[in-house]
Amino acid sequence: EAQVTQNPRYLITVTGKKLTVTCSQNMNHEYMSWYRQDPGLGLRQIYYSMNVEVTDKGDVPEGYKVSRKEKRNFPLILESPSPNQTSLYFCASSYRLAGASYNEQFFGPGTRLTVL
Amino acid sequence: RKEVEQDPGPFNVPEGATVAFNCTYSNSASQSFFWYRQDCRKEPKLLMSVYSSGNEDGRFTAQLNRASQYISLLIRDSKLSDSATYLCVAIYGQNFVFGPGTRLSVLP
């Protein structure tokens, strides 16, 4: 089954304790992205990656890191989480045909993070 | 960062009603557009792509007006199961820009 998976689905942690949220897709998509979703603010892009070893900042990158060492994986790293990073996080992947725009994104099920 | 704006919600409509959502985008270089549906605390799921000529999928019709830079979604014969938040998305280059979403509640 084609899918994007994220782990963990729920996480409660404390300020300053480094954490990683994993994301994996099995569709061979070159494009992957992380979003956070907060009430009233909609989906905001944190980082995206157009291919292996190619990453770039989205709208709200502060406090986050990513890496793309393999095509299928795109982990999100919070080196020193703070309470304002409490949010619902989604990973997504997409693809495009040669010379065309990107197609729709496929989303993972989300990770609900609480930082105390 | 160019924005995508949507009608403020919530829309509360009776079953069987027709409801329309609009979405405006500010970047004229936007190339592709989509409507997503998101149920509470779940991931967004693609509802339909939006083509320049307009397109229909059952009770759903999407339209694009590049001159005025807006897209629309029309839902006919609303069902209780249509209750969700509807997100529009504009893509320019490698940037996916989501609107804040419009919440729809279909009432019995």
Side-chain angles (χ1 to χ4, degrees), chain B residues 26-49:
Chain B
S26 55
N27 190 329
S28 60
S30 298
Q31 300 156 292
S32 302
F33 307 88
F34 301 94
W35 282 101
Y36 277 75
R37 171 200 168 117
Q38 185 176 25
D39 295 294
C40 188
R41 297 173 179 260
K42 298 287 186 70
E43 73 271 26
K45 293 187 177 178
L46 179 69
L47 179 65
M48 59 195 304
S49 304

Short mmCIF file of all heavy atoms in Angstrom, two decimals, chain B residues 26-49:
data_model
loop_
_atom_site.label_atom_id
_atom_site.label_comp_id
_atom_site.label_asym_id
_atom_site.label_seq_id
_atom_site.Cartn_x
_atom_site.Cartn_y
_atom_site.Cartn_z
N SER B 26 -2.19 34.97 -4.26
CA SER B 26 -1.59 36.26 -4.61
C SER B 26 -0.43 36.13 -5.59
O SER B 26 -0.02 37.12 -6.18
CB SER B 26 -1.13 36.99 -3.36
OG SER B 26 -0.25 36.17 -2.61
N ASN B 27 0.11 34.91 -5.75
CA ASN B 27 1.25 34.74 -6.64
C ASN B 27 0.78 34.30 -8.02
O ASN B 27 0.33 33.17 -8.20
CB ASN B 27 2.21 33.70 -6.07
CG ASN B 27 3.53 33.67 -6.82
OD1 ASN B 27 3.59 33.93 -8.02
ND2 ASN B 27 4.61 33.35 -6.12
N SER B 28 0.89 35.19 -8.97
CA SER B 28 0.41 34.89 -10.32
C SER B 28 1.21 33.79 -11.00
O SER B 28 0.80 33.25 -12.01
CB SER B 28 0.43 36.15 -11.18
OG SER B 28 1.75 36.66 -11.26
N ALA B 29 2.38 33.46 -10.42
CA ALA B 29 3.20 32.39 -11.00
C ALA B 29 2.76 31.01 -10.54
O ALA B 29 3.34 30.00 -10.94
CB ALA B 29 4.67 32.61 -10.63
N SER B 30 1.74 30.93 -9.72
CA SER B 30 1.26 29.64 -9.24
C SER B 30 0.87 28.77 -10.42
O SER B 30 0.22 29.24 -11.36
CB SER B 30 0.07 29.82 -8.29
OG SER B 30 0.47 30.57 -7.15
N GLN B 31 1.27 27.51 -10.35
CA GLN B 31 1.11 26.65 -11.51
C GLN B 31 0.01 25.61 -11.35
O GLN B 31 -0.65 25.23 -12.32
CB GLN B 31 2.43 25.93 -11.78
CG GLN B 31 3.59 26.86 -12.07
CD GLN B 31 4.92 26.20 -11.75
OE1 GLN B 31 5.24 25.93 -10.59
NE2 GLN B 31 5.70 25.95 -12.77
N SER B 32 -0.13 25.08 -10.16
CA SER B 32 -1.08 24.00 -9.93
C SER B 32 -1.90 24.31 -8.69
O SER B 32 -1.41 24.98 -7.77
CB SER B 32 -0.36 22.66 -9.73
OG SER B 32 0.44 22.35 -10.84
N PHE B 33 -3.10 23.75 -8.67
CA PHE B 33 -4.02 24.04 -7.58
C PHE B 33 -4.78 22.78 -7.21
O PHE B 33 -5.10 21.95 -8.07
CB PHE B 33 -5.02 25.13 -8.01
CG PHE B 33 -4.35 26.36 -8.54
CD1 PHE B 33 -4.04 26.47 -9.88
CD2 PHE B 33 -4.02 27.40 -7.68
CE1 PHE B 33 -3.39 27.60 -10.37
CE2 PHE B 33 -3.38 28.53 -8.16
CZ PHE B 33 -3.07 28.63 -9.50
N PHE B 34 -5.06 22.68 -5.92
CA PHE B 34 -5.78 21.50 -5.42
C PHE B 34 -6.73 21.91 -4.31
O PHE B 34 -6.52 22.92 -3.63
CB PHE B 34 -4.79 20.46 -4.85
CG PHE B 34 -3.76 19.98 -5.83
CD1 PHE B 34 -2.51 20.58 -5.90
CD2 PHE B 34 -4.03 18.93 -6.69
CE1 PHE B 34 -1.55 20.15 -6.80
CE2 PHE B 34 -3.08 18.49 -7.59
CZ PHE B 34 -1.85 19.10 -7.64
N TRP B 35 -7.74 21.08 -4.13
CA TRP B 35 -8.57 21.15 -2.94
C TRP B 35 -8.32 19.89 -2.12
O TRP B 35 -8.33 18.77 -2.65
CB TRP B 35 -10.05 21.24 -3.30
CG TRP B 35 -10.48 22.61 -3.73
CD1 TRP B 35 -10.68 23.04 -5.00
CD2 TRP B 35 -10.77 23.72 -2.88
NE1 TRP B 35 -11.07 24.36 -5.00
CE2 TRP B 35 -11.15 24.80 -3.70
CE3 TRP B 35 -10.77 23.91 -1.49
CZ2 TRP B 35 -11.50 26.06 -3.20
CZ3 TRP B 35 -11.12 25.15 -0.99
CH2 TRP B 35 -11.48 26.21 -1.84
N TYR B 36 -8.11 20.11 -0.82
CA TYR B 36 -7.95 19.00 0.12
C TYR B 36 -9.09 19.05 1.13
O TYR B 36 -9.64 20.12 1.43
CB TYR B 36 -6.63 19.12 0.90
CG TYR B 36 -5.43 18.59 0.18
CD1 TYR B 36 -4.85 19.30 -0.87
CD2 TYR B 36 -4.87 17.37 0.53
CE1 TYR B 36 -3.74 18.82 -1.53
CE2 TYR B 36 -3.74 16.87 -0.13
CZ TYR B 36 -3.19 17.61 -1.15
OH TYR B 36 -2.08 17.13 -1.81
N ARG B 37 -9.38 17.90 1.68
CA ARG B 37 -10.35 17.79 2.74
C ARG B 37 -9.60 17.30 3.97
O ARG B 37 -8.76 16.40 3.89
CB ARG B 37 -11.43 16.79 2.34
CG ARG B 37 -12.37 16.42 3.44
CD ARG B 37 -13.09 15.11 3.16
NE ARG B 37 -13.75 14.68 4.38
CZ ARG B 37 -15.06 14.57 4.48
NH1 ARG B 37 -15.84 14.80 3.42
NH2 ARG B 37 -15.61 14.21 5.61
N GLN B 38 -9.93 17.90 5.13
CA GLN B 38 -9.29 17.46 6.36
C GLN B 38 -10.35 17.26 7.44
O GLN B 38 -11.07 18.19 7.79
CB GLN B 38 -8.25 18.47 6.86
CG GLN B 38 -7.48 17.98 8.08
CD GLN B 38 -6.38 18.93 8.50
OE1 GLN B 38 -6.42 20.12 8.24
NE2 GLN B 38 -5.36 18.39 9.19
N ASP B 39 -10.43 16.05 7.93
CA ASP B 39 -11.30 15.76 9.07
C ASP B 39 -10.54 16.07 10.35
O ASP B 39 -9.30 16.07 10.37
CB ASP B 39 -11.75 14.29 9.02
CG ASP B 39 -12.62 14.03 7.81
OD1 ASP B 39 -13.72 14.59 7.77
OD2 ASP B 39 -12.19 13.30 6.90
N CYS B 40 -11.30 16.28 11.40
CA CYS B 40 -10.72 16.76 12.66
C CYS B 40 -9.56 15.88 13.11
O CYS B 40 -9.70 14.67 13.25
CB CYS B 40 -11.80 16.81 13.73
SG CYS B 40 -11.26 17.58 15.24
N ARG B 41 -8.40 16.51 13.31
CA ARG B 41 -7.20 15.85 13.83
C ARG B 41 -6.64 14.76 12.92
O ARG B 41 -5.83 13.95 13.34
CB ARG B 41 -7.46 15.27 15.23
CG ARG B 41 -7.80 16.33 16.25
CD ARG B 41 -8.21 15.72 17.56
NE ARG B 41 -8.51 16.75 18.56
CZ ARG B 41 -7.69 17.13 19.49
NH1 ARG B 41 -6.52 16.55 19.60
NH2 ARG B 41 -8.01 18.07 20.35
N LYS B 42 -7.10 14.74 11.67
CA LYS B 42 -6.58 13.77 10.72
C LYS B 42 -5.73 14.48 9.65
O LYS B 42 -5.72 15.71 9.58
CB LYS B 42 -7.73 13.04 10.03
CG LYS B 42 -8.62 12.24 10.96
CD LYS B 42 -7.90 11.00 11.43
CE LYS B 42 -8.78 10.08 12.25
NZ LYS B 42 -9.81 9.43 11.44
N GLU B 43 -5.06 13.68 8.84
CA GLU B 43 -4.25 14.28 7.80
C GLU B 43 -5.12 14.79 6.65
O GLU B 43 -6.17 14.23 6.37
CB GLU B 43 -3.22 13.26 7.26
CG GLU B 43 -3.79 12.15 6.40
CD GLU B 43 -4.22 10.96 7.22
OE1 GLU B 43 -4.56 11.11 8.42
OE2 GLU B 43 -4.24 9.86 6.63
N PRO B 44 -4.67 15.84 5.97
CA PRO B 44 -5.39 16.30 4.78
C PRO B 44 -5.35 15.23 3.69
O PRO B 44 -4.34 14.55 3.51
CB PRO B 44 -4.59 17.53 4.34
CG PRO B 44 -3.81 17.96 5.55
CD PRO B 44 -3.51 16.70 6.28
N LYS B 45 -6.44 15.12 2.99
CA LYS B 45 -6.51 14.16 1.88
C LYS B 45 -6.99 14.89 0.64
O LYS B 45 -7.88 15.74 0.71
CB LYS B 45 -7.44 13.00 2.22
CG LYS B 45 -6.87 12.13 3.34
CD LYS B 45 -7.70 10.90 3.56
CE LYS B 45 -7.05 10.03 4.64
NZ LYS B 45 -7.84 8.82 4.93
N LEU B 46 -6.42 14.51 -0.49
CA LEU B 46 -6.76 15.17 -1.73
C LEU B 46 -8.23 14.97 -2.05
O LEU B 46 -8.74 13.84 -2.07
CB LEU B 46 -5.91 14.62 -2.87
CG LEU B 46 -6.19 15.23 -4.23
CD1 LEU B 46 -5.73 16.69 -4.27
CD2 LEU B 46 -5.52 14.42 -5.33
N LEU B 47 -8.92 16.07 -2.32
CA LEU B 47 -10.30 15.99 -2.79
C LEU B 47 -10.32 16.01 -4.32
O LEU B 47 -10.90 15.13 -4.95
CB LEU B 47 -11.10 17.17 -2.23
CG LEU B 47 -12.55 17.26 -2.63
CD1 LEU B 47 -13.34 16.08 -2.08
CD2 LEU B 47 -13.17 18.58 -2.17
N MET B 48 -9.68 17.03 -4.88
CA MET B 48 -9.59 17.09 -6.32
C MET B 48 -8.57 18.11 -6.77
O MET B 48 -8.27 19.06 -6.05
CB MET B 48 -10.95 17.40 -6.95
CG MET B 48 -11.59 18.69 -6.52
SD MET B 48 -13.35 18.75 -6.95
CE MET B 48 -13.35 18.48 -8.71
N SER B 49 -8.03 17.86 -7.94
CA SER B 49 -7.17 18.84 -8.58
C SER B 49 -8.07 19.89 -9.22
O SER B 49 -9.27 19.68 -9.42
CB SER B 49 -6.32 18.17 -9.66
OG SER B 49 -5.57 17.10 -9.12
#
